[in-house]
Amino acid sequence: MNPYDYLRPLLFRLDPERAHNRTLALLARMPVFMPRGTGGKPVELMGLTFPNRLGLAAGLDKNGVAVSAFDRAGFGFIEVGTVTPRPQPGNPRPRLFRLPEFDAIINRMGFNNLGIDALTARLAATPKPRALLGINLGKNKDTPNEAALDDYRVGLQKAWAHADYLAINISSPNTAGLRDLQHGAALRDLLAGIKAEQQRLADETARRVPIVVKIAPDLDDVALHATLDTIAEAGMDGIIATNTTLDKSAVASHRYGGEQGGLSGAPLTAASTAIVKKIRAHLPQMALIAAGGVMRAADMQAKLDAGADLVQIYSGLIYHGPQLVRDCLRHLDQV
């Protein structure tokens, strides 16, 4: 019996965002409440050694308050954020919805976070985890796309000393216009500026931090290939596929199925894995981190079979708790 099966009904009686915040607060104060997990084999990627292939996706711990607890769970890497240069409250509540009949979540949080300074201060005061640490960077809502590079530069500069890798989030559906940065000249110019800043910081600090780009699952094949080519030509180190989807046809019958925001969880599993396969076919050598709909160990393995190097979880943790982490790590021990 999964102990989380007893706790989940209590958490699910609370408003989703309140349950989320209370759980994080508890784990921040008492990391020992997270069951300890181990397993998986190290993997070399982007010049880094990941303790195993399983990671925590961005969005669950935006402000990096519970890194020690998630490290205790056994993750090979933990991605905090999305964080913006300045604090921002995000979109109006309610903005987080559970769809238990579909093992799904819809969110329109809108990059609510305490800002990059608060995050880095928290990380500086946290014992260095065994897991590698990624920091997911976004732009502030009121920063126009024409000035987005300025925000990402600030994120790079302030996160550089604290991160093992950095993720560029241009694919959240909950910041107006953000996904426009995934295409054409906007993407080329943004990534050229990010690459130049990466090189400048590497020269200045004698330390190289890989940069990956997180993309949406809603790109058609033509747009996907164009985006992938731009990412590769810019010299980015890797890709995270994928963010949440705007396609809610699978949950249309649910009372929350029409809520604005990105859909995650089981309805995203197959589509996200299919995109991973397309990316691997198009860019055989690119470092590739899969995310989206990992609800059981078999879903993780399907993404690895599709060509992913690493796999992240989020919604599956909400529905199945730490047992999912243990199941995935146990599976990785066997393959």
Side-chain angles (χ1 to χ4, degrees), residues 116-164:
I116 186 69
D117 290 333
L119 174 64
T120 54
R122 167 75 68 168
L123 295 177
T126 299
K128 183 173 176 56
R130 169 182 172 273
L132 297 193
L133 186 68
I135 299 180
N136 187 295
L137 304 173
K139 76 173 187 70
N140 280 109
K141 180 179 181 178
D142 59 359
T143 299
N145 279 2
E146 300 76 39
L149 178 58
D150 294 336
D151 275 16
Y152 287 106
R153 280 197 185 112
V154 170
L156 289 170
Q157 292 161 7
K158 294 192 173 186
W160 188 264
H162 303 275
D164 293 299

mmCIF file of all heavy atoms in Angstrom, residues 116-164:
data_model
loop_
_atom_site.group_PDB
_atom_site.id
_atom_site.type_symbol
_atom_site.label_atom_id
_atom_site.label_comp_id
_atom_site.label_asym_id
_atom_site.label_seq_id
_atom_site.Cartn_x
_atom_site.Cartn_y
_atom_site.Cartn_z
ATOM 1 N N ILE A 116 14.376 36.499 -8.504
ATOM 2 C CA ILE A 116 15.657 35.795 -8.570
ATOM 3 C C ILE A 116 16.518 36.048 -7.341
ATOM 4 O O ILE A 116 17.237 35.145 -6.875
ATOM 5 C CB ILE A 116 16.427 36.175 -9.867
ATOM 6 C CG1 ILE A 116 17.700 35.346 -10.036
ATOM 7 C CG2 ILE A 116 16.727 37.661 -9.898
ATOM 8 C CD1 ILE A 116 17.460 33.893 -10.339
ATOM 9 N N ASP A 117 16.450 37.240 -6.753
ATOM 10 C CA ASP A 117 17.289 37.517 -5.583
ATOM 11 C C ASP A 117 16.880 36.649 -4.397
ATOM 12 O O ASP A 117 17.733 36.133 -3.664
ATOM 13 C CB ASP A 117 17.224 38.996 -5.213
ATOM 14 C CG ASP A 117 17.928 39.880 -6.228
ATOM 15 O OD1 ASP A 117 18.859 39.404 -6.889
ATOM 16 O OD2 ASP A 117 17.536 41.058 -6.362
ATOM 17 N N ALA A 118 15.556 36.503 -4.200
ATOM 18 C CA ALA A 118 15.086 35.661 -3.101
ATOM 19 C C ALA A 118 15.472 34.204 -3.333
ATOM 20 O O ALA A 118 15.855 33.501 -2.392
ATOM 21 C CB ALA A 118 13.571 35.789 -2.952
ATOM 22 N N LEU A 119 15.380 33.748 -4.571
ATOM 23 C CA LEU A 119 15.738 32.363 -4.876
ATOM 24 C C LEU A 119 17.216 32.106 -4.615
ATOM 25 O O LEU A 119 17.580 31.122 -3.957
ATOM 26 C CB LEU A 119 15.403 32.038 -6.329
ATOM 27 C CG LEU A 119 15.875 30.654 -6.811
ATOM 28 C CD1 LEU A 119 15.166 29.532 -6.061
ATOM 29 C CD2 LEU A 119 15.673 30.500 -8.312
ATOM 30 N N THR A 120 18.074 32.964 -5.108
ATOM 31 C CA THR A 120 19.507 32.716 -4.945
ATOM 32 C C THR A 120 19.926 32.821 -3.480
ATOM 33 O O THR A 120 20.816 32.092 -3.029
ATOM 34 C CB THR A 120 20.331 33.670 -5.815
ATOM 35 O OG1 THR A 120 19.967 35.024 -5.542
ATOM 36 C CG2 THR A 120 20.085 33.379 -7.293
ATOM 37 N N ALA A 121 19.275 33.712 -2.741
ATOM 38 C CA ALA A 121 19.580 33.797 -1.308
ATOM 39 C C ALA A 121 19.181 32.506 -0.611
ATOM 40 O O ALA A 121 19.915 31.999 0.261
ATOM 41 C CB ALA A 121 18.857 34.991 -0.685
ATOM 42 N N ARG A 122 18.036 31.983 -0.968
ATOM 43 C CA ARG A 122 17.578 30.712 -0.380
ATOM 44 C C ARG A 122 18.542 29.579 -0.740
ATOM 45 O O ARG A 122 18.917 28.776 0.125
ATOM 46 C CB ARG A 122 16.169 30.403 -0.888
ATOM 47 C CG ARG A 122 15.700 28.976 -0.619
ATOM 48 C CD ARG A 122 15.326 28.731 0.816
ATOM 49 N NE ARG A 122 14.133 29.462 1.191
ATOM 50 C CZ ARG A 122 13.465 29.247 2.318
ATOM 51 N NH1 ARG A 122 13.880 28.345 3.183
ATOM 52 N NH2 ARG A 122 12.392 29.958 2.612
ATOM 53 N N LEU A 123 18.944 29.505 -2.001
ATOM 54 C CA LEU A 123 19.853 28.434 -2.425
ATOM 55 C C LEU A 123 21.213 28.559 -1.745
ATOM 56 O O LEU A 123 21.832 27.547 -1.384
ATOM 57 C CB LEU A 123 20.010 28.448 -3.942
ATOM 58 C CG LEU A 123 18.753 28.124 -4.749
ATOM 59 C CD1 LEU A 123 19.029 28.251 -6.242
ATOM 60 C CD2 LEU A 123 18.234 26.721 -4.428
ATOM 61 N N ALA A 124 21.679 29.785 -1.544
ATOM 62 C CA ALA A 124 22.972 29.985 -0.878
ATOM 63 C C ALA A 124 22.935 29.507 0.565
ATOM 64 O O ALA A 124 23.967 29.090 1.116
ATOM 65 C CB ALA A 124 23.359 31.458 -0.937
ATOM 66 N N ALA A 125 21.756 29.543 1.175
ATOM 67 C CA ALA A 125 21.612 29.126 2.571
ATOM 68 C C ALA A 125 21.222 27.656 2.706
ATOM 69 O O ALA A 125 21.080 27.161 3.838
ATOM 70 C CB ALA A 125 20.557 29.991 3.250
ATOM 71 N N THR A 126 21.068 26.951 1.599
ATOM 72 C CA THR A 126 20.649 25.548 1.608
ATOM 73 C C THR A 126 21.867 24.645 1.438
ATOM 74 O O THR A 126 22.714 24.917 0.581
ATOM 75 C CB THR A 126 19.658 25.283 0.458
ATOM 76 O OG1 THR A 126 18.503 26.104 0.630
ATOM 77 C CG2 THR A 126 19.228 23.822 0.417
ATOM 78 N N PRO A 127 21.989 23.590 2.231
ATOM 79 C CA PRO A 127 23.105 22.656 2.019
ATOM 80 C C PRO A 127 23.130 22.150 0.582
ATOM 81 O O PRO A 127 22.076 21.881 -0.015
ATOM 82 C CB PRO A 127 22.797 21.517 3.006
ATOM 83 C CG PRO A 127 21.953 22.149 4.059
ATOM 84 C CD PRO A 127 21.128 23.194 3.366
ATOM 85 N N LYS A 128 24.314 22.046 0.028
ATOM 86 C CA LYS A 128 24.434 21.620 -1.366
ATOM 87 C C LYS A 128 23.845 20.221 -1.529
ATOM 88 O O LYS A 128 24.230 19.290 -0.835
ATOM 89 C CB LYS A 128 25.895 21.624 -1.808
ATOM 90 C CG LYS A 128 26.070 21.254 -3.282
ATOM 91 C CD LYS A 128 27.494 21.429 -3.722
ATOM 92 C CE LYS A 128 27.682 20.971 -5.166
ATOM 93 N NZ LYS A 128 26.766 21.672 -6.100
ATOM 94 N N PRO A 129 22.895 20.068 -2.450
ATOM 95 C CA PRO A 129 22.273 18.749 -2.607
ATOM 96 C C PRO A 129 23.169 17.779 -3.351
ATOM 97 O O PRO A 129 24.086 18.181 -4.080
ATOM 98 C CB PRO A 129 21.015 19.060 -3.430
ATOM 99 C CG PRO A 129 21.379 20.279 -4.218
ATOM 100 C CD PRO A 129 22.298 21.077 -3.334
ATOM 101 N N ARG A 130 22.881 16.497 -3.165
ATOM 102 C CA ARG A 130 23.531 15.470 -3.984
ATOM 103 C C ARG A 130 23.063 15.598 -5.422
ATOM 104 O O ARG A 130 23.845 15.433 -6.371
ATOM 105 C CB ARG A 130 23.189 14.081 -3.436
ATOM 106 C CG ARG A 130 23.581 12.916 -4.344
ATOM 107 C CD ARG A 130 23.158 11.586 -3.728
ATOM 108 N NE ARG A 130 23.329 10.462 -4.632
ATOM 109 C CZ ARG A 130 22.417 10.063 -5.511
ATOM 110 N NH1 ARG A 130 21.262 10.714 -5.605
ATOM 111 N NH2 ARG A 130 22.642 9.035 -6.295
ATOM 112 N N ALA A 131 21.788 15.866 -5.596
ATOM 113 C CA ALA A 131 21.222 16.057 -6.926
ATOM 114 C C ALA A 131 21.812 17.296 -7.578
ATOM 115 O O ALA A 131 22.194 18.252 -6.898
ATOM 116 C CB ALA A 131 19.706 16.197 -6.828
ATOM 117 N N LEU A 132 21.890 17.296 -8.910
ATOM 118 C CA LEU A 132 22.258 18.511 -9.620
ATOM 119 C C LEU A 132 21.082 19.483 -9.568
ATOM 120 O O LEU A 132 19.922 19.085 -9.448
ATOM 121 C CB LEU A 132 22.635 18.199 -11.063
ATOM 122 C CG LEU A 132 23.855 17.297 -11.265
ATOM 123 C CD1 LEU A 132 24.298 17.331 -12.723
ATOM 124 C CD2 LEU A 132 25.014 17.683 -10.361
ATOM 125 N N LEU A 133 21.398 20.762 -9.682
ATOM 126 C CA LEU A 133 20.376 21.797 -9.543
ATOM 127 C C LEU A 133 20.245 22.577 -10.843
ATOM 128 O O LEU A 133 21.217 23.142 -11.351
ATOM 129 C CB LEU A 133 20.744 22.747 -8.404
ATOM 130 C CG LEU A 133 19.696 23.792 -8.067
ATOM 131 C CD1 LEU A 133 18.458 23.122 -7.452
ATOM 132 C CD2 LEU A 133 20.261 24.833 -7.111
ATOM 133 N N GLY A 134 19.027 22.609 -11.359
ATOM 134 C CA GLY A 134 18.708 23.460 -12.500
ATOM 135 C C GLY A 134 17.870 24.638 -12.044
ATOM 136 O O GLY A 134 17.068 24.518 -11.120
ATOM 137 N N ILE A 135 18.057 25.779 -12.683
ATOM 138 C CA ILE A 135 17.229 26.958 -12.410
ATOM 139 C C ILE A 135 16.541 27.352 -13.708
ATOM 140 O O ILE A 135 17.196 27.596 -14.727
ATOM 141 C CB ILE A 135 18.058 28.130 -11.853
ATOM 142 C CG1 ILE A 135 18.727 27.726 -10.531
ATOM 143 C CG2 ILE A 135 17.178 29.351 -11.657
ATOM 144 C CD1 ILE A 135 19.578 28.820 -9.902
ATOM 145 N N ASN A 136 15.218 27.404 -13.647
ATOM 146 C CA ASN A 136 14.400 27.706 -14.813
ATOM 147 C C ASN A 136 14.092 29.206 -14.818
ATOM 148 O O ASN A 136 13.553 29.736 -13.857
ATOM 149 C CB ASN A 136 13.113 26.871 -14.735
ATOM 150 C CG ASN A 136 12.270 26.977 -15.984
ATOM 151 O OD1 ASN A 136 11.762 28.037 -16.310
ATOM 152 N ND2 ASN A 136 12.099 25.844 -16.661
ATOM 153 N N LEU A 137 14.442 29.872 -15.908
ATOM 154 C CA LEU A 137 14.365 31.325 -16.000
ATOM 155 C C LEU A 137 13.253 31.782 -16.929
ATOM 156 O O LEU A 137 13.064 31.216 -18.019
ATOM 157 C CB LEU A 137 15.693 31.886 -16.517
ATOM 158 C CG LEU A 137 16.952 31.509 -15.731
ATOM 159 C CD1 LEU A 137 18.189 32.004 -16.461
ATOM 160 C CD2 LEU A 137 16.894 32.069 -14.311
ATOM 161 N N GLY A 138 12.528 32.807 -16.504
ATOM 162 C CA GLY A 138 11.501 33.416 -17.336
ATOM 163 C C GLY A 138 11.647 34.921 -17.342
ATOM 164 O O GLY A 138 12.538 35.489 -16.703
ATOM 165 N N LYS A 139 10.736 35.565 -18.065
ATOM 166 C CA LYS A 139 10.708 37.030 -18.070
ATOM 167 C C LYS A 139 9.508 37.519 -17.273
ATOM 168 O O LYS A 139 8.516 36.806 -17.121
ATOM 169 C CB LYS A 139 10.651 37.577 -19.499
ATOM 170 C CG LYS A 139 9.292 37.476 -20.165
ATOM 171 C CD LYS A 139 9.288 38.196 -21.499
ATOM 172 C CE LYS A 139 7.871 38.256 -22.091
ATOM 173 N NZ LYS A 139 6.972 39.163 -21.330
ATOM 174 N N ASN A 140 9.600 38.732 -16.757
ATOM 175 C CA ASN A 140 8.465 39.312 -16.056
ATOM 176 C C ASN A 140 7.321 39.595 -17.024
ATOM 177 O O ASN A 140 7.534 39.893 -18.207
ATOM 178 C CB ASN A 140 8.863 40.597 -15.344
ATOM 179 C CG ASN A 140 9.563 40.332 -14.026
ATOM 180 O OD1 ASN A 140 10.767 40.539 -13.890
ATOM 181 N ND2 ASN A 140 8.811 39.853 -13.035
ATOM 182 N N LYS A 141 6.117 39.516 -16.503
ATOM 183 C CA LYS A 141 4.915 39.683 -17.318
ATOM 184 C C LYS A 141 4.884 41.036 -18.013
ATOM 185 O O LYS A 141 4.460 41.149 -19.172
ATOM 186 C CB LYS A 141 3.680 39.519 -16.430
ATOM 187 C CG LYS A 141 2.355 39.670 -17.147
ATOM 188 C CD LYS A 141 1.194 39.477 -16.186
ATOM 189 C CE LYS A 141 -0.152 39.608 -16.899
ATOM 190 N NZ LYS A 141 -1.289 39.380 -15.975
ATOM 191 N N ASP A 142 5.353 42.081 -17.331
ATOM 192 C CA ASP A 142 5.261 43.427 -17.896
ATOM 193 C C ASP A 142 6.483 43.805 -18.736
ATOM 194 O O ASP A 142 6.609 44.951 -19.186
ATOM 195 C CB ASP A 142 5.025 44.469 -16.800
ATOM 196 C CG ASP A 142 6.136 44.491 -15.750
ATOM 197 O OD1 ASP A 142 7.088 43.686 -15.869
ATOM 198 O OD2 ASP A 142 6.043 45.291 -14.796
ATOM 199 N N THR A 143 7.376 42.854 -18.959
ATOM 200 C CA THR A 143 8.505 43.096 -19.852
ATOM 201 C C THR A 143 8.086 42.738 -21.272
ATOM 202 O O THR A 143 7.715 41.589 -21.542
ATOM 203 C CB THR A 143 9.721 42.236 -19.461
ATOM 204 O OG1 THR A 143 10.132 42.565 -18.134
ATOM 205 C CG2 THR A 143 10.881 42.467 -20.420
ATOM 206 N N PRO A 144 8.104 43.688 -22.207
ATOM 207 C CA PRO A 144 7.699 43.361 -23.579
ATOM 208 C C PRO A 144 8.667 42.381 -24.219
ATOM 209 O O PRO A 144 9.844 42.303 -23.832
ATOM 210 C CB PRO A 144 7.728 44.717 -24.287
ATOM 211 C CG PRO A 144 8.655 45.562 -23.482
ATOM 212 C CD PRO A 144 8.517 45.093 -22.064
ATOM 213 N N ASN A 145 8.159 41.626 -25.182
ATOM 214 C CA ASN A 145 9.012 40.625 -25.832
ATOM 215 C C ASN A 145 10.273 41.248 -26.431
ATOM 216 O O ASN A 145 11.322 40.604 -26.482
ATOM 217 C CB ASN A 145 8.223 39.893 -26.913
ATOM 218 C CG ASN A 145 7.344 38.788 -26.339
ATOM 219 O OD1 ASN A 145 7.288 38.597 -25.121
ATOM 220 N ND2 ASN A 145 6.660 38.055 -27.200
ATOM 221 N N GLU A 146 10.169 42.498 -26.882
ATOM 222 C CA GLU A 146 11.340 43.142 -27.483
ATOM 223 C C GLU A 146 12.463 43.319 -26.468
ATOM 224 O O GLU A 146 13.629 43.448 -26.842
ATOM 225 C CB GLU A 146 10.956 44.516 -28.057
ATOM 226 C CG GLU A 146 9.888 44.490 -29.130
ATOM 227 C CD GLU A 146 8.498 44.279 -28.567
ATOM 228 O OE1 GLU A 146 8.168 44.840 -27.499
ATOM 229 O OE2 GLU A 146 7.726 43.504 -29.185
ATOM 230 N N ALA A 147 12.121 43.334 -25.196
ATOM 231 C CA ALA A 147 13.121 43.502 -24.134
ATOM 232 C C ALA A 147 13.337 42.218 -23.335
ATOM 233 O O ALA A 147 13.997 42.240 -22.293
ATOM 234 C CB ALA A 147 12.702 44.632 -23.195
ATOM 235 N N ALA A 148 12.794 41.100 -23.826
ATOM 236 C CA ALA A 148 12.883 39.838 -23.077
ATOM 237 C C ALA A 148 14.325 39.436 -22.800
ATOM 238 O O ALA A 148 14.642 38.919 -21.722
ATOM 239 C CB ALA A 148 12.165 38.727 -23.845
ATOM 240 N N LEU A 149 15.222 39.677 -23.763
ATOM 241 C CA LEU A 149 16.618 39.293 -23.570
ATOM 242 C C LEU A 149 17.205 39.944 -22.321
ATOM 243 O O LEU A 149 18.009 39.324 -21.618
ATOM 244 C CB LEU A 149 17.436 39.663 -24.810
ATOM 245 C CG LEU A 149 18.936 39.366 -24.724
ATOM 246 C CD1 LEU A 149 19.201 37.891 -24.443
ATOM 247 C CD2 LEU A 149 19.633 39.809 -26.023
ATOM 248 N N ASP A 150 16.806 41.171 -22.035
ATOM 249 C CA ASP A 150 17.317 41.847 -20.835
ATOM 250 C C ASP A 150 16.961 41.051 -19.579
ATOM 251 O O ASP A 150 17.795 40.897 -18.672
ATOM 252 C CB ASP A 150 16.744 43.255 -20.729
ATOM 253 C CG ASP A 150 17.214 44.165 -21.847
ATOM 254 O OD1 ASP A 150 18.279 43.887 -22.423
ATOM 255 O OD2 ASP A 150 16.507 45.149 -22.150
ATOM 256 N N ASP A 151 15.708 40.556 -19.516
ATOM 257 C CA ASP A 151 15.292 39.766 -18.352
ATOM 258 C C ASP A 151 16.065 38.462 -18.256
ATOM 259 O O ASP A 151 16.495 38.050 -17.170
ATOM 260 C CB ASP A 151 13.788 39.471 -18.422
ATOM 261 C CG ASP A 151 12.942 40.600 -17.851
ATOM 262 O OD1 ASP A 151 13.478 41.714 -17.685
ATOM 263 O OD2 ASP A 151 11.744 40.374 -17.579
ATOM 264 N N TYR A 152 16.232 37.786 -19.388
ATOM 265 C CA TYR A 152 16.959 36.516 -19.351
ATOM 266 C C TYR A 152 18.431 36.725 -19.011
ATOM 267 O O TYR A 152 19.037 35.895 -18.320
ATOM 268 C CB TYR A 152 16.799 35.765 -20.684
ATOM 269 C CG TYR A 152 15.411 35.180 -20.855
ATOM 270 C CD1 TYR A 152 14.494 35.749 -21.726
ATOM 271 C CD2 TYR A 152 15.006 34.071 -20.119
ATOM 272 C CE1 TYR A 152 13.214 35.229 -21.879
ATOM 273 C CE2 TYR A 152 13.732 33.536 -20.256
ATOM 274 C CZ TYR A 152 12.847 34.128 -21.133
ATOM 275 O OH TYR A 152 11.584 33.609 -21.260
ATOM 276 N N ARG A 153 19.002 37.842 -19.436
ATOM 277 C CA ARG A 153 20.386 38.151 -19.058
ATOM 278 C C ARG A 153 20.505 38.323 -17.542
ATOM 279 O O ARG A 153 21.447 37.820 -16.926
ATOM 280 C CB ARG A 153 20.857 39.432 -19.752
ATOM 281 C CG ARG A 153 21.299 39.253 -21.196
ATOM 282 C CD ARG A 153 22.125 40.461 -21.619
ATOM 283 N NE ARG A 153 22.482 40.422 -23.020
ATOM 284 C CZ ARG A 153 22.005 41.261 -23.946
ATOM 285 N NH1 ARG A 153 21.137 42.203 -23.586
ATOM 286 N NH2 ARG A 153 22.393 41.173 -25.197
ATOM 287 N N VAL A 154 19.556 39.029 -16.954
ATOM 288 C CA VAL A 154 19.569 39.200 -15.497
ATOM 289 C C VAL A 154 19.498 37.837 -14.818
ATOM 290 O O VAL A 154 20.241 37.554 -13.862
ATOM 291 C CB VAL A 154 18.392 40.090 -15.040
ATOM 292 C CG1 VAL A 154 18.253 40.060 -13.522
ATOM 293 C CG2 VAL A 154 18.589 41.514 -15.526
ATOM 294 N N GLY A 155 18.604 36.983 -15.309
ATOM 295 C CA GLY A 155 18.491 35.647 -14.737
ATOM 296 C C GLY A 155 19.787 34.867 -14.850
ATOM 297 O O GLY A 155 20.237 34.232 -13.875
ATOM 298 N N LEU A 156 20.404 34.904 -16.019
ATOM 299 C CA LEU A 156 21.674 34.203 -16.212
ATOM 300 C C LEU A 156 22.733 34.695 -15.246
ATOM 301 O O LEU A 156 23.441 33.912 -14.601
ATOM 302 C CB LEU A 156 22.159 34.390 -17.653
ATOM 303 C CG LEU A 156 21.398 33.675 -18.760
ATOM 304 C CD1 LEU A 156 21.852 34.161 -20.131
ATOM 305 C CD2 LEU A 156 21.583 32.170 -18.661
ATOM 306 N N GLN A 157 22.858 36.009 -15.144
ATOM 307 C CA GLN A 157 23.907 36.593 -14.314
ATOM 308 C C GLN A 157 23.736 36.235 -12.840
ATOM 309 O O GLN A 157 24.708 35.887 -12.159
ATOM 310 C CB GLN A 157 23.904 38.111 -14.492
ATOM 311 C CG GLN A 157 24.330 38.565 -15.875
ATOM 312 C CD GLN A 157 23.897 39.989 -16.191
ATOM 313 O OE1 GLN A 157 23.385 40.709 -15.326
ATOM 314 N NE2 GLN A 157 24.086 40.410 -17.442
ATOM 315 N N LYS A 158 22.505 36.281 -12.357
ATOM 316 C CA LYS A 158 22.265 36.070 -10.929
ATOM 317 C C LYS A 158 22.190 34.589 -10.561
ATOM 318 O O LYS A 158 22.508 34.215 -9.428
ATOM 319 C CB LYS A 158 20.999 36.811 -10.506
ATOM 320 C CG LYS A 158 21.158 38.321 -10.610
ATOM 321 C CD LYS A 158 20.037 39.078 -9.929
ATOM 322 C CE LYS A 158 20.327 40.571 -9.909
ATOM 323 N NZ LYS A 158 19.330 41.331 -9.140
ATOM 324 N N ALA A 159 21.790 33.742 -11.504
ATOM 325 C CA ALA A 159 21.665 32.307 -11.212
ATOM 326 C C ALA A 159 22.950 31.546 -11.484
ATOM 327 O O ALA A 159 23.109 30.415 -11.016
ATOM 328 C CB ALA A 159 20.528 31.714 -12.049
ATOM 329 N N TRP A 160 23.850 32.138 -12.224
ATOM 330 C CA TRP A 160 25.035 31.445 -12.748
ATOM 331 C C TRP A 160 25.811 30.692 -11.661
ATOM 332 O O TRP A 160 26.163 29.525 -11.827
ATOM 333 C CB TRP A 160 25.943 32.454 -13.440
ATOM 334 C CG TRP A 160 27.099 31.860 -14.196
ATOM 335 C CD1 TRP A 160 28.382 31.683 -13.761
ATOM 336 C CD2 TRP A 160 27.059 31.373 -15.543
ATOM 337 N NE1 TRP A 160 29.152 31.119 -14.745
ATOM 338 C CE2 TRP A 160 28.358 30.917 -15.854
ATOM 339 C CE3 TRP A 160 26.063 31.285 -16.504
ATOM 340 C CZ2 TRP A 160 28.681 30.372 -17.101
ATOM 341 C CZ3 TRP A 160 26.368 30.742 -17.750
ATOM 342 C CH2 TRP A 160 27.667 30.297 -18.028
ATOM 343 N N ALA A 161 26.073 31.346 -10.551
ATOM 344 C CA ALA A 161 26.909 30.746 -9.509
ATOM 345 C C ALA A 161 26.200 29.651 -8.730
ATOM 346 O O ALA A 161 26.851 28.876 -8.017
ATOM 347 C CB ALA A 161 27.387 31.828 -8.541
ATOM 348 N N HIS A 162 24.876 29.547 -8.878
ATOM 349 C CA HIS A 162 24.089 28.639 -8.038
ATOM 350 C C HIS A 162 23.581 27.411 -8.779
ATOM 351 O O HIS A 162 23.087 26.478 -8.148
ATOM 352 C CB HIS A 162 22.897 29.396 -7.451
ATOM 353 C CG HIS A 162 23.284 30.608 -6.668
ATOM 354 N ND1 HIS A 162 23.637 30.564 -5.341
ATOM 355 C CD2 HIS A 162 23.406 31.919 -7.054
ATOM 356 C CE1 HIS A 162 23.949 31.779 -4.927
ATOM 357 N NE2 HIS A 162 23.816 32.623 -5.935
ATOM 358 N N ALA A 163 23.689 27.417 -10.106
ATOM 359 C CA ALA A 163 23.056 26.372 -10.914
ATOM 360 C C ALA A 163 24.085 25.447 -11.546
ATOM 361 O O ALA A 163 25.177 25.877 -11.928
ATOM 362 C CB ALA A 163 22.205 27.000 -12.011
ATOM 363 N N ASP A 164 23.705 24.175 -11.668
ATOM 364 C CA ASP A 164 24.488 23.248 -12.488
ATOM 365 C C ASP A 164 24.103 23.374 -13.950
ATOM 366 O O ASP A 164 24.919 23.140 -14.838
ATOM 367 C CB ASP A 164 24.261 21.809 -12.004
ATOM 368 C CG ASP A 164 24.823 21.586 -10.617
ATOM 369 O OD1 ASP A 164 26.048 21.734 -10.438
ATOM 370 O OD2 ASP A 164 24.032 21.287 -9.697
#
